Amino acid sequence: MRKLFSLTLLLVMAFPAWATHQRAAEITYEWKGGNAYEFTLTCYTYSPSPAGMQRDSLLVMWGDGFGDYVPRVVYQNLGDDYTLNVYRMVHNFASSGTFVISMEDPDRNYGVVNVPNSVSVPMYIETELVINPFLGYNNSVQLLNAPVDKGCVGKPFYHNPSAYDPDGDSLSYRLVPCKGLNGEDIPGYTYPQSSSLFDIDPITGVLQWENPMLQGEYNVAILIEEWRRGVKVGSVIRDMQVLINACNNNLPQIYMIDDTCVVAGGMIDFVVTGLDPDGDQVTLEASGAPFQLTVSPAVMTPPTDFGLNPAFEFTWHTQCSHIRKTPYQVVIHAKDNSFPIPLSNVRAVNITVIGPAVEGLQVENSQLPTANCQLTWLPYTSCSNVAAIHVYRRVGSIPYEPDACETGVRPGYQRIAELPADATSYLDDNGGVGFDQGVDYCYRVVAVFHDGAESRPSNEVCVQIPNNQPLMTKVSNDESDLLNGPMLVSWTCPREIDPQFVAPYSYRLIRNLNGVESAVYSGADSTFRDAEVRLAEAQSLFYKVEMKDANHSVIGVSTPAAAVMLTGRGGDKTASLSWSEAVPWVIDSTEVFREYDTVFAKIAATTALSYDDIHVQNEVTYRYYVRTFGHYTIEGLPRPLVNCSAV
């Protein structure tokens, strides 16, 4: 039955005895198809209060202008003055959009230390639902660890909600102020006092209180946000209560492995043990995403254990369906049986299930009509749920052995192709322009799954483009005369000349200055001093060389190489420099020089294409040049290849 939210005011007036009961609450949801979602409101109430017993339904506002009284489906006394109340209902939304689902109920229980006059402050919680057909359907996180916890003055307190996301979305955690009337922050609300730290880990969700200073009941709110491909798709707020007492008890300890990974199809197995420093007996339990799976879930043997040295074994036979980008979190909960105040401790381990590598990658090179590389690999039959195959390329080899949990490729590779999941080959012609000679081109292939998770990288394969054309090696401003010097240009003879070409050989050097092309040299030498060009006045400057045999047959033409063009821009006590590196060889590093009393001195070395000099003053003119160092990957060619910009 539809009701207006303002009716809650009548409830406060008609049932004043109800206003002493809410201790903790949260709203979660499950997608049922279309725009229908089943919402679960979970409340923990103060058992001695009659208000909780009489609350057989609560008003929930759906964020679309409507609200319903949601019936209670679970009413269970948990002991220790806690009662579990679960309310559940399906709601259909008329359209896509972002909706804030909320519940406001008078009132919280009496005596909450950090909520002034808590007995008169409503419990307000909210959950955000994003219905976006482009992002796919969404289920909220499920909080597997109940908000029923105690701590002691002067002792560290830890709580982990053990949030499980059925969709495998990334989760982030942060503390927010508890909310009251009309969803506003509670006036005078403060975070609990600590001796050194009260915070939550944004990644693991562990609430850490180091250390409580005063006895009493405290309420805190944890906001858990879901992220899919960098976009927020929903959130849940848990408002929970922590009871702090005076005691001499110490937290039980948990011993287990650190974060780990497993290749899908493999088994992960480890033992968890507990021990109490005071000699108390300990109950050891576990929760988390691996236990919630419908296919091949993880198991603990035994499911729980109790004793002076409790232990259980975690076993999980993983499958390809378990592969996802975000790790699975397992939360271990240890609670001692100390009287009168038992204490709890939590530890979490993240387990990432990764895809097997693509096997059998090979590469062959063909020179006709232009250089290209033919890649082949074995069919990816390891996992049928793969979404695509990505091909990566780089200049030069990185012969690394991936770490045990490493997926994808390391920085330095460029993704050049996204192929269907059943692809087993790819012809790389570099966009139809072929490849530079004298360079090794190296490849790796990665399988990609529907949420963007990447498999382990394939083996690396490399191919060297045969050198049957001349190679440019220098297009540099003359460093001996930086201000007025000529251009120094050099090149090399091919190392693999087709026998059909007859010596002696000759060269024709072609210059392209500001878009105007002209031949500037013909002869047998492989160097040229171009005195007609002043680099500082050029907008663009390229050179290429044509090689002929004794019969004037063209053997080949080199790939053009550009001079290093340096530009600068002044800012507030900053000189911002940038330069270009349009050359067919590999650039390893660049040195930056600044003039001091007519002498240039090196001030930096970088692998970037820019540099900010912050050691300058305003209204002063500074002069710079850069010097690049590079190489071809063919053995026997000169290295390093050194080229300078103009000043």
Side-chain angles (χ1 to χ4, degrees):
M1 179 175 61
R2 304 286 182 182
K3 298 290 183 181
L4 294 177
F5 188 64
S6 60
L7 288 181
T8 56
L9 298 176
L10 298 177
L11 293 173
V12 176
M13 298 173 59
F15 302 99
W18 288 12
T20 56
H21 62 296
Q22 289 285 4
R23 306 184 78 167
E26 66 213 27
I27 300 172
T28 57
Y29 54 83
E30 179 183 352
W31 179 66
K32 290 298 183 181
N35 288 341
Y37 291 80
E38 182 177 70
F39 291 87
T40 299
L41 166 63
T42 305
C43 298
Y44 295 83
T45 57
Y46 181 62
S47 299
S49 172
M53 180 179 63
Q54 300 175 55
R55 271 296 206 268
D56 59 2
S57 66
L58 286 177
L59 180 63
V60 173
M61 302 304 296
W62 305 118
D64 58 358
F66 297 100
D68 281 299
Y69 277 94
V70 178
R72 182 166 59 193
V73 295
V74 174
Y75 181 69
Q76 179 184 359
N77 192 320
L78 304 178
D80 208 15
D81 292 338
Y82 275 91
T83 297
L84 171 65
N85 303 261
V86 179
Y87 304 81
R88 190 169 288 131
M89 176 179 280
V90 173
H91 179 71
N92 280 277
F93 293 88
S95 64
S96 58
T98 299
F99 305 95
V100 176
I101 297 89
S102 62
M103 184 278 297
E104 180 177 324
D105 182 43
D107 280 314
R108 298 170 184 266
N109 65 295
Y110 174 80
V112 180
V113 175
N114 62 331
V115 178
N117 194 27
S118 61
V119 73
S120 299
V121 177
M123 167 70 75
Y124 176 91
I125 54 169
E126 65 183 34
T127 286
E128 185 179 57
L129 165 65
V130 177
I131 302 178
N132 184 334
F134 298 103
L135 295 173
Y137 67 84
N138 186 49
N139 296 282
S140 75
V141 295
Q142 304 297 313
L143 308 184
L144 306 178
N145 193 15
V148 180
D149 245 332
K150 293 183 179 181
C152 288
V153 173
K155 306 292 183 181
F157 170 85
Y158 305 105
H159 173 83
N160 190 319
S162 189
Y164 158 62
D165 190 277
D167 308 317
D169 295 322
S170 298
L171 302 181
S172 62
Y173 304 80
R174 57 189 172 100
L175 296 173
V176 294
C178 292
K179 298 183 182 297
L181 185 65
N182 297 325
E184 301 293 333
D185 292 350
I186 298 171
Y189 173 83
T190 58
Y191 291 117
Q193 285 186 297
S194 69
S195 62
S196 61
L197 177 68
F198 182 81
D199 204 358
I200 193 167
D201 189 300
I203 298 174
T204 67
V206 175
L207 175 65
Q208 184 176 0
W209 190 351
E210 303 272 358
N211 295 305
M213 299 179 65
L214 298 173
Q215 297 184 61
E217 299 176 357
Y218 298 84
N219 269 76
V220 298
I222 302 172
L223 172 63
I224 307 169
E225 297 174 295
E226 303 172 67
W227 304 88
R228 186 176 302 170
R229 297 190 291 276
V231 179
K232 183 179 176 182
V233 294
S235 65
V236 169
I237 292 179
R238 162 175 277 187
D239 191 321
M240 64 173 289
Q241 192 170 92
V242 182
L243 280 64
I244 301 298
N245 297 275
C247 69
N248 293 319
N249 193 14
N250 292 290
L251 272 66
Q253 300 302 305
I254 301 170
Y255 301 93
M256 59 190 292
I257 67 170
D258 294 324
D259 293 352
T260 187
C261 69
V262 59
V263 176
M267 183 180 76
I268 185 164
D269 187 298
F270 59 87
V271 174
V272 181
T273 60
L275 180 67
D276 190 87
D278 304 317
D280 297 323
Q281 292 188 314
V282 176
T283 299
L284 205 58
E285 298 178 311
S287 61
F291 305 107
Q292 305 298 315
L293 299 170
T294 56
V295 177
S296 190
V299 296
M300 282 290 195
T301 308
T304 63
D305 199 14
F306 174 76
L308 293 176
N309 297 105
F312 45 44
E313 183 179 17
F314 175 93
T315 305
W316 187 15
H317 294 271
T318 62
Q319 297 190 6
C320 288
S321 61
H322 301 153
I323 296 171
R324 70 181 197 186
K325 194 171 185 177
T326 56
Y328 294 81
Q329 186 182 73
V330 177
V331 177
I332 307 299
H333 189 273
K335 184 176 183 180
D336 66 27
N337 68 339
S338 178
F339 183 83
I341 305 300
L343 289 184
S344 299
N345 199 355
V346 293
R347 276 196 63 188
V349 58
N350 291 313
I351 303 172
T352 304
V353 181
I354 58 182
V358 176
E359 300 288 347
L361 179 63
Q362 297 181 2
V363 61
E364 293 182 358
N365 169 247
S366 171
Q367 280 295 103
L368 298 174
T370 59
N372 57 61
C373 297
Q374 179 66 59
L375 297 168
T376 59
W377 55 90
L378 297 176
Y380 193 75
T381 56
S382 302
C383 294
S384 61
N385 56 330
V386 65
I389 299 292
H390 288 181
V391 180
Y392 291 85
R393 183 186 70 208
R394 64 164 282 115
V395 174
S397 173
I398 305 181
Y400 67 89
E401 185 65 30
D403 297 334
C405 295
E406 187 172 357
T407 61
V409 297
R410 293 184 180 178
Y413 286 90
Q414 176 189 7
R415 189 172 69 194
I416 60 171
E418 300 180 31
L419 306 176
D422 59 354
T424 57
S425 65
Y426 178 70
L427 180 64
D428 183 16
D429 62 357
N430 198 23
V433 300
F435 293 95
D436 295 330
Q437 297 184 33
V439 175
D440 288 334
Y441 291 92
C442 298
Y443 298 86
R444 289 186 189 264
V445 175
V446 172
V448 182
F449 297 81
H450 292 284
D451 70 341
E454 295 180 306
S455 72
R456 289 178 59 77
S458 73
N459 60 301
E460 182 187 67
V461 295
C462 299
V463 63
Q464 188 175 92
I465 307 300
N467 178 210
N468 55 16
Q469 297 177 2
L471 298 175
M472 300 298 303
T473 56
K474 181 182 284 290
V475 178
S476 177
N477 193 39
D478 187 349
E479 199 170 6
S480 64
D481 186 359
L482 290 165
L483 300 180
N484 301 299
M487 292 299 298
L488 303 179
V489 186
S490 64
W491 55 92
T492 65
C493 179
R495 299 172 65 85
E496 303 175 36
I497 300 177
D498 193 302
Q500 67 172 306
F501 298 113
V502 181
Y505 307 116
S506 62
Y507 303 98
R508 188 169 73 105
L509 183 66
I510 301 169
R511 179 183 67 203
N512 188 312
L513 175 63
N514 301 331
V516 178
E517 191 171 283
S518 58
V520 295
Y521 167 77
S522 294
D525 291 338
S526 59
T527 61
F528 179 67
R529 190 171 183 268
D530 192 353
E532 296 181 0
V533 175
R534 188 168 183 267
L535 183 57
E537 298 174 351
Q539 297 177 353
S540 65
L541 179 61
F542 292 82
Y543 290 88
K544 64 181 179 181
V545 64
E546 179 186 74
M547 182 177 179
K548 294 183 179 181
D549 72 352
N551 298 320
H552 302 289
S553 298
V554 176
I555 298 174
V557 180
S558 73
T559 301
V564 183
M565 305 301 291
L566 174 66
T567 59
R569 179 175 55 85
D572 183 20
K573 296 183 178 180
T574 301
S576 296
L577 308 175
S578 61
W579 53 92
S580 60
E581 295 175 349
V583 293
W585 56 83
V586 179
I587 297 294
D588 300 309
S589 64
T590 301
E591 294 179 340
V592 181
F593 292 81
R594 189 175 78 188
E595 185 181 36
Y596 295 89
D597 296 328
T598 72
V599 176
F600 284 86
K602 186 175 75 172
I603 61 172
T606 178
T607 57
L609 292 173
S610 62
Y611 176 75
D612 288 341
D613 184 4
I614 60 174
H615 302 290
V616 296
Q617 299 296 320
N618 292 341
E619 307 301 327
V620 177
T621 299
Y622 295 88
R623 296 201 295 187
Y624 300 85
Y625 82 96
V626 297
R627 182 168 60 186
T628 67
F629 296 83
H631 73 280
Y632 286 104
T633 58
I634 292 180
E635 294 295 331
L637 291 180
R639 67 169 63 188
L641 303 179
V642 182
N643 289 270
C644 300
S645 73
V647 173

